[in-house]
Amino acid sequence: MRQSAVPQSGGAGAAADVVGAARPSRTLSLTPLAPIIVRSGRPFDGWTGVDPARFPPPSTLAGCLRTAWARAQGVGFPLAPDAESAAASAARLTGLALAGPLLLRGSTVLLPKPADALYFGHGRQARCVRAEPRPFDTGCGADLPEGLLPVQLSRPVEGKPGPGPSWWAWQDWLDFRRGEEGEVTHAELQQRGWSPPAGDRRTHVAIDRDRQAAVEGRLFQTEGLEFASDPSDAAAGTFGDEPLRLLARCAEPLGAALVTLGGERRLAAMTPEPESAWPQPPDGWFEDIVRAGGLSLTLVTPAVFAAGYLPGWLDADRAPPDSVFDATSPPRPRLHLRAATVDRWQPHSGWDLARQQPRPTRKLVPAGATYWFALAGDAEPEALRGLWLASVCDDEQDRRDGFGLALPAPWTPVADSN
């Protein structure tokens, strides 16, 4: 495999920079060299129109990195001439575990906005308000599932919902989870965070292969996601033209290369990163969870659960799947769900390489969804460490694909009623 240096900027010029001697690593960044196109799988016709620009889901990244790994191993495409060999190769590829994507700007990791952070107001009146599990006031109630608390604003707010960044800087995310509301203002979140700019929409024509000319009336559009700061965004002035990159982990080390990412085989520069680029827990994080007696789990990539918005393992033994934890770790912690806040589900589909057909559409729980748990029984900090950026999906293949990565944080459970 050709060895490469770290590309320092996006655009076509970055392609020429993919030469050098960076060592292969399991932590990788991808710099898109063109707007990324990711479709949801919903029908595309004259009534529904074009899909809006979409952040790449874990399966898109998984397809990209598994293809890069296969090429590094000398595996060609199509996989094999006979079905049996092709299925074996496909199983080998899908068995490669991945995690991500997160966002990286410079050395700063960005995470999706938690669903329990809400924006209100505009301009100088804009503010971010926390929502948290709290019991109903006396005389109030709802048809929530038994045992679940409602998630309510932490303080009264006047005014209407307003805009705010979709991605937060790592330290802002940690401060919010520590409950340090007030130390990070809406303006600071805006300045250090990121919101996707307007999609890059392009109109295409169908080509008649015989005449090598456009087919009259056969037009279609695509809308790509540009990984650059919107010039109108406050963050643009802070970070200049520093490009955003996708951050990922792969079970096998990979070297620098040009890879295709998303639709239309658009290029991205893949660069090995130091292991320290992957987010690490702050000191004493898991001890704080044990002392608090509870934790929140916030999704940083979309998840797929057997029971819709609820993990299926909650109905079993209330412990996340075995594969989340190291075999040598203490017994898995038992978790009692107390509340959840989840935004609208996202449609998702894809292409089944082994069967050579589209995958069925599924409903994803979006990144940012937050679940609050009380620790059921004793738990050791080391047992909780396995939850750090681990997938909490029910299905093993979804976990290997990088869906459902979650971050635990300390949370003090509240009583059921006042």
Side-chain angles (χ1 to χ4, degrees):
M1 177 184 296
R2 185 172 59 179
Q3 301 296 307
S4 306
V6 177
Q8 297 300 313
S9 62
D17 295 335
V18 185
V19 292
R23 298 178 59 185
S25 172
R26 292 185 299 173
T27 301
L28 304 154
S29 68
L30 291 97
T31 305
L33 304 181
I36 294 179
I37 295 176
V38 179
R39 288 184 50 78
S40 66
R42 71 184 174 94
F44 177 34
D45 54 31
W47 294 100
T48 58
V50 63
D51 259 353
R54 184 183 179 207
F55 190 80
S59 54
T60 299
L61 180 75
C64 168
L65 296 186
R66 284 171 180 155
T67 300
W69 179 75
R71 295 196 187 285
Q73 302 300 312
V75 178
F77 293 91
L79 292 172
D82 62 283
E84 185 175 349
S85 299
S89 297
R92 187 182 175 202
L93 284 178
T94 55
L96 186 66
L98 303 132
L102 309 179
L103 269 181
L104 190 65
R105 181 165 49 198
S107 59
T108 301
V109 173
L110 282 80
L111 299 175
K113 179 189 78 68
D116 53 324
L118 305 173
Y119 300 129
F120 290 90
H122 295 76
R124 294 184 177 179
Q125 303 301 318
R127 54 208 183 277
C128 177
V129 180
R130 176 191 308 277
E132 58 189 10
R134 291 170 49 193
F136 285 112
D137 294 334
T138 303
C140 297
D143 58 353
L144 286 171
E146 185 178 357
L148 286 192
L149 293 168
V151 179
Q152 308 183 59
L153 293 178
S154 58
R155 55 188 169 90
V157 176
E158 294 184 358
K160 298 181 178 179
S166 304
W167 290 78
W168 287 11
W170 171 247
Q171 192 58 50
D172 292 339
W173 193 99
L174 285 181
D175 290 345
F176 181 80
R177 277 288 165 252
R178 287 191 177 106
E180 298 173 359
E181 188 178 5
E183 294 191 5
V184 181
T185 66
H186 183 282
E188 291 170 331
L189 290 172
Q190 185 80 26
Q191 186 178 39
R192 296 191 282 261
W194 180 69
S195 290
D200 176 76
R201 181 169 294 190
R202 301 179 184 181
T203 301
H204 310 262
V205 298
I207 299 296
D208 184 324
R209 292 177 182 268
D210 294 331
R211 299 185 297 114
Q212 288 295 300
V215 181
E216 187 174 354
R218 299 288 294 276
L219 300 176
F220 67 98
Q221 290 183 320
T222 59
E223 188 162 324
L225 180 63
E226 178 68 69
F227 280 76
S229 295
D230 189 329
S232 63
D233 194 330
T238 302
F239 298 97
D241 59 355
E242 194 168 30
L244 284 157
R245 296 171 287 161
L246 300 175
L247 180 65
R249 289 270 292 177
C250 179
E252 298 290 341
L254 290 171
L258 285 178
V259 295
T260 55
L261 180 65
E264 297 190 349
R265 299 179 60 78
R266 295 188 176 180
L267 293 175
M270 181 174 69
T271 306
E273 299 286 346
E275 296 295 327
S276 58
W278 193 246
Q280 299 299 315
D283 292 340
W285 193 252
F286 303 107
E287 287 78 2
D288 289 345
I289 292 177
V290 172
R291 279 192 288 271
L295 60 90
S296 62
L297 278 181
T298 303
L299 299 179
V300 296
T301 61
V304 188
F305 295 131
Y309 76 98
L310 286 177
W313 44 264
L314 285 174
D315 290 333
D317 55 4
R318 293 181 176 180
D322 283 331
S323 61
V324 170
F325 302 95
D326 190 288
T328 61
S329 68
R332 296 177 298 161
R334 297 291 192 270
L335 305 177
H336 174 48
L337 181 66
R338 301 305 311 279
T341 178
V342 180
D343 288 333
R344 185 182 181 85
W345 61 271
Q346 299 172 339
H348 177 70
S349 184
W351 182 255
D352 190 321
L353 183 64
R355 295 184 175 87
Q356 290 293 300
Q357 64 185 31
R359 297 181 186 275
T361 299
R362 299 193 294 176
K363 295 181 177 179
L364 301 184
V365 176
T370 301
Y371 300 80
W372 288 269
F373 298 91
L375 293 176
D378 296 331
E380 298 182 30
E382 282 304 311
L384 297 167
R385 189 173 295 276
L387 289 172
W388 184 261
L389 279 176
S391 172
V392 293
C393 288
D394 298 315
D395 183 76
E396 179 66 28
Q397 188 57 52
D398 289 332
R399 294 197 288 273
R400 291 195 198 104
D401 290 346
F403 285 100
L405 294 192
L407 278 173
W411 174 68
T412 302
V414 295
D416 288 337
S417 59
N418 291 321

